[in-house]
């Protein structure tokens, strides 16, 4: 590049029109997946560490789905808060075709069939251990868990789910779920794999929201990834693509955008990241104190996901962002 004054980097920043002209990255409502918490109650319930986010009753889902669709948000992701009396060591409730998440899926698909509905495949909202897998003799048993995950995937498919998102981090789950779906004739079911999911402390507020934090014994380090590792993320992504994932995800988001960039450079597959509950909480807390401009930081953070290479982002800010961009 020629030296100053032949090059003056400020020329292309000198007015709004030229900045618009040279801008490389755009954020639109179509980039967003909106995570939504549901519970068995009749009223919406606040989640203290996630100001502005509520656990919704089934009765409010139709209106919420229509709102998402009218804002141009392509899909929502559902997370059930399962009452403690329905949890057991095997996460049996996960495979009940009439469980809360299945009823939520069906409610939304009938109210707003145009909206994509995604649901996690993982046992943690349903186990009394708070773990994503089944504990046998004090350890998470990978292969026994796979059977239960396949059953869960099939009931959610039956309820009308559009995207199954295995978030459990068991080995081999994408392949087993894909095989079961093909066998059952669900050849178009989308799988978004939480492929590079780290054992992160940024999930704290989410675990309160779904009621799994009180239940959780120990940590998730034997299945979720070590935050120190990067190459391992690429191995996880490669395996999930090979096993039949249509889309992959990196999680958490802001502190892991280096992983997104490596994934996007190495693989040709739609790539997502999850701006998780703790990231949302940090921005909202600072904004509530007047320490940051909340909307500006929200938009900047999501633009950064796109710049790093994300095709889309899961974010609790989705409706607010879509409102501003719309
Ligand atoms: C459960 C799951 C978690 C999140 C999404 N799915 C938490 C966990 O693994 O403990 C976190 C989302 C967030 O923090 O917003 N498998």
């Amino acid at each position: 590049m020629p030296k100053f004054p032949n090059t003056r980097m400020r020329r292309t920043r000198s007015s709004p029109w030229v900045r618009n002209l040279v801008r490389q990255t755009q954020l639109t409502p179509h980039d967003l997946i909106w995570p939504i918490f549901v519970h068995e109650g009749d009223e919406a319930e606040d989640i203290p560490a996630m100001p502005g986010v509520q656990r919704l009753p089934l009765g409010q889902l139709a209106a919420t789905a229509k709102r998402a669709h009218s804002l141009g948000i392509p899909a929502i992701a559902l997370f059930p808060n399962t009452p403690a009396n329905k949890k057991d060591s095997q996460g049996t409730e996960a495979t009940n075709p009439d469980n809360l998440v299945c009823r939520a899926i069906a409610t939304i698909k009938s109210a707003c069939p145009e909206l994509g509905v995604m649901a996690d495949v993982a046992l943690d909202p349903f186990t009394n251990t708070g773990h994503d897998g089944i504990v046998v003799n004090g350890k998470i048993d990978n292969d026994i868990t796979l059977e239960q995950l396949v059953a869960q995937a099939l009931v959610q498919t039956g309820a009308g789910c559009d995207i199954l998102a295995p978030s459990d981090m068991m080995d081999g789950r994408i392949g087993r779920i894909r095989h079961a779906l093909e066998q059952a004739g669900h050849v178009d079911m989308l799988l978004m794999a939480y492929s590079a999911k780290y054992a992160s402390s940024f999930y704290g507020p989410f675990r309160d929201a779904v009621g799994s934090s009180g239940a959780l014994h120990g940590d998730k380090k034997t299945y979720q990834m070590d935050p120190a590792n990067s190459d391992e993320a690429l191995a996880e992504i490669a395996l999930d693509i090979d096993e039949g994932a249509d889309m992959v995800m990196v999680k958490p988001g802001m502190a892991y955008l280096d992983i997104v960039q490596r994934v996007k450079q190495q693989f040709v597959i739609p790539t997502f990241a999850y701006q998780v509950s703790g990231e949302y909480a940090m921005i909202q807390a600072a904004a509530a104190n007047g320490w940051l401009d909340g909307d500006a930081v929200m938009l900047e953070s999501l633009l950064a996901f796109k710049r790093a290479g994300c095709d889309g982002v899961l974010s609790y800010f989705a409706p607010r962002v879509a409102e501003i961009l719309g």
Side-chain angles (χ1 to χ4, degrees):
M1 188 182 285
K3 289 198 200 63
F4 176 86
N6 290 355
T7 295
R8 283 181 186 267
M9 295 301 291
R10 291 181 56 199
R11 286 186 197 118
T12 51
R13 297 176 201 144
S14 61
S15 59
W17 69 262
V18 71
R19 291 197 293 273
N20 285 340
L21 193 64
V22 301
R23 183 167 302 124
Q24 285 188 275
T25 309
Q26 304 275 1
L27 178 68
T28 84
H30 289 353
D31 297 319
L32 302 168
I33 297 176
W34 179 9
I36 289 176
F37 298 106
V38 284
H39 76 140
E40 298 274 8
D42 296 322
E43 307 284 336
E45 240 173 39
D46 290 340
I47 300 162
M50 301 182 73
V53 177
Q54 294 183 306
R55 294 182 199 100
L56 299 181
L58 282 177
Q60 289 187 22
L61 290 183
T64 304
K66 286 177 187 153
R67 178 168 171 233
H69 182 60
S70 70
L71 285 167
I73 296 171
I76 59 157
L78 288 171
F79 295 98
N81 179 295
T82 308
N85 64 11
K86 290 193 177 161
K87 296 185 185 186
D88 63 18
S89 62
Q90 314 290 299
T92 309
E93 179 66 5
T95 65
N96 169 8
D98 198 35
N99 69 16
L100 180 61
V101 75
C102 289
R103 281 179 284 139
I105 294 166
T107 303
I108 290 176
K109 289 311 291 184
S110 80
C112 190
E114 308 87 350
L115 183 71
V117 176
M118 168 164 146
D120 266 32
V121 179
L123 302 181
D124 57 316
F126 309 97
T127 51
N128 54 18
T129 60
H131 280 296
D132 297 42
I134 295 172
V135 180
V136 178
N137 297 329
K139 288 187 174 169
I140 317 287
D141 189 304
N142 193 87
D143 298 8
I144 290 176
T145 301
L146 292 182
E147 307 292 323
Q148 194 78 323
L149 294 172
V150 166
Q152 179 183 21
L154 291 174
V155 299
Q156 290 175 178
T157 302
C161 190
D162 298 298
I163 307 175
L164 294 171
S167 68
D168 54 284
M169 290 297 279
M170 296 300 119
D171 286 321
R173 86 271 209 227
I174 298 296
R176 294 290 286 276
I177 292 169
R178 176 59 78 203
H179 178 75
L181 290 169
E182 287 288 325
Q183 293 275 298
H186 301 296
V187 299
D188 289 329
M189 176 55 76
L190 291 159
L191 291 181
M192 181 186 291
Y194 284 76
S195 300
K197 179 172 179 179
Y198 287 85
S200 171
S201 299
F202 284 104
Y203 307 148
F206 172 96
R207 292 180 189 166
D208 289 337
V210 299
S212 68
S213 51
L216 184 60
H217 301 303
D219 57 48
K220 300 191 176 186
K221 292 180 184 170
T222 70
Y223 47 107
Q224 298 181 348
M225 286 177 49
D226 182 343
N229 294 350
S230 175
D231 294 346
E232 194 181 338
L234 302 185
E236 286 281 7
I237 302 265
L239 286 166
D240 285 353
I241 294 174
D242 197 50
E243 290 178 32
D246 303 292
M247 302 175 263
V248 296
M249 195 203 299
V250 172
K251 181 182 172 199
M254 282 161 64
Y256 295 81
L257 294 180
D258 58 318
I259 308 298
V260 170
Q261 192 173 38
R262 285 192 75 187
V263 168
K264 204 57 196 177
Q265 274 167 1
Q266 186 145 337
F267 300 97
V268 183
I269 190 158
T271 302
F272 293 77
Y274 199 143
Q275 184 176 49
V276 299
S277 55
E279 303 176 56
Y280 175 86
M282 288 194 301
I283 294 174
Q284 291 293 69
N289 277 291
W291 297 337
L292 285 176
D293 176 340
D295 280 347
V297 170
M298 165 187 84
L299 291 169
E300 182 180 329
S301 67
L302 289 166
L303 190 68
F305 282 83
K306 293 286 312 278
R307 192 193 60 234
C310 285
D311 295 293
V313 188
L314 288 90
S315 174
Y316 302 97
F317 288 119
R320 176 78 190 137
V321 174
E323 257 162 33
I324 293 176
L325 296 177

